[in-house]
Amino acid sequence: MKFTFDLVGVSPVWQFFHHQQQSLQKPQPQAIEYLSTHKCTLDALLECVEPVPIKWGWNTEQVIDTVVQFWLNNSETINYWKVRLIDAGNDNILVARLADITALQAEFEFLLGKN
């Protein structure tokens, strides 16, 4: 199984919470998780990713490696979102997406009406 990790934005806490509540009320997309943290650090991201492999039965080492590789290979993106998070203020969080690549591709195809 192959995974993808990406930082997708900065959001007010209440808006992210509302989004998560709505996603619980509809059928869950297969193996796609949106995570949040108040800090843009590798440690903070790993902490919020920690429970996800257990939920989906994923290989924990592979998931952690995916996040670490993202961190090592995307310094410009990380710096961009770090500044955006600071600019947004304390009532905002950084949002990240962790997904099985096949599930994410299926989700994108659904959104584009290709299924």
Side-chain angles (χ1 to χ4, degrees), residues 33 50 54 66 74 93 104:
E33 288 286 332
E50 192 174 292
I54 296 164
T66 299
N74 294 282
I93 51 177
L104 187 60

Side-chain angles (χ1 to χ4, degrees), residues 40-42 45 67-75 78 82:
C40 187
T41 65
L42 179 56
L45 290 167
V67 175
V68 170
Q69 289 304 313
F70 174 87
W71 193 264
L72 294 174
N73 296 318
N74 294 282
S75 62
I78 293 162
K82 190 178 283 191

Side-chain angles (χ1 to χ4, degrees), residues 9-13 16-17 36-38 85 89-95:
V10 172
S11 171
V13 173
F16 181 76
F17 177 76
S36 66
T37 179
H38 285 282
L85 182 60
N90 292 335
D91 293 333
N92 293 278
I93 51 177
L94 180 67
V95 179

Side-chain angles (χ1 to χ4, degrees), residues 18-35:
H18 180 70
H19 175 269
Q20 293 294 78
Q21 292 297 75
Q22 282 185 325
S23 69
L24 290 174
Q25 295 173 1
K26 62 183 177 181
Q28 280 229 337
Q30 286 288 335
I32 300 172
E33 288 286 332
Y34 289 90
L35 311 159

Side-chain angles (χ1 to χ4, degrees), residues 10 75-85:
V10 172
S75 62
E76 285 184 31
T77 300
I78 293 162
N79 288 331
Y80 174 83
W81 287 115
K82 190 178 283 191
V83 170
R84 298 290 75 75
L85 182 60

